[in-house]
Amino acid sequence: MAAGGRALVDVCGRLLAAHGPVELPTGDLVHGDFRPANILLDAERVAAVVDIEALGSGTRAFDYATLLSAEGLTPDAVHTLRRAGERVAGPGALASCYAHVALDLTVFVHRHRLARGIRHTRTLLDRARLLLDHADGGA
């Protein structure tokens, strides 16, 4: 495992430990792969959401966690997504969902030997650290 992957596993473990056991809500309709590439825009408005194979019940925090895993987000967008995800199910639920999304995405990127792997692992790690800092009392 590359150093970035080990660091991500470590930070995700610390993030989960910071919140303790979390019971995830199940009453929301969840896309399951809600990332910018699956949101089609027309004149800066959402025109369609595609790739709905993973659609099902769960917590919307999972979709916020998936959006948080996207590359190229501005700091304001990251802050807005984090706050929205925390509001729908609590900080622990968002942290749990984010750890799942980040680790699953890292496995996918490396399994498929995608060139963006190292850069994306850094993005995932930075966001996990941000969530951990917030869990530890950061703003």
Side-chain angles (χ1 to χ4, degrees):
M1 180 187 305
R6 278 192 295 277
L8 182 60
V9 168
D10 176 61
V11 171
C12 285
R14 291 180 13 229
L15 179 60
L16 294 172
H19 291 284
V22 174
E23 188 167 332
L24 298 177
T26 59
D28 295 328
L29 181 62
V30 179
H31 183 277
D33 191 23
F34 199 58
R35 54 189 74 256
N38 291 333
I39 304 168
L40 305 181
L41 302 176
D42 181 23
E44 297 187 24
R45 298 187 72 167
V46 175
V49 177
V50 298
D51 191 14
I52 59 169
E53 289 83 25
L55 188 71
S57 62
T59 175
R60 287 175 288 158
F62 189 85
D63 284 341
Y64 282 109
T66 303
L67 284 169
L68 272 172
S69 74
E71 293 178 286
L73 298 176
T74 66
D76 285 344
V78 170
H79 177 76
T80 298
L81 289 168
R82 179 187 59 79
R83 297 282 311 263
E86 289 175 346
R87 272 194 306 272
V88 301
L94 180 64
S96 179
C97 291
Y98 185 81
H100 173 85
V101 167
L103 296 171
D104 187 55
L105 186 56
T106 300
V107 168
F108 177 85
V109 166
H110 289 284
R111 181 175 292 150
H112 292 85
R113 293 179 167 71
L114 300 178
R116 65 188 182 136
I118 292 172
R119 183 183 74 235
H120 201 128
T121 300
R122 280 191 215 120
T123 297
L124 296 170
L125 181 57
D126 289 345
R127 304 270 165 74
R129 285 179 176 145
L130 178 134
L131 291 172
L132 181 60
D133 288 347
H134 182 71
D136 290 339

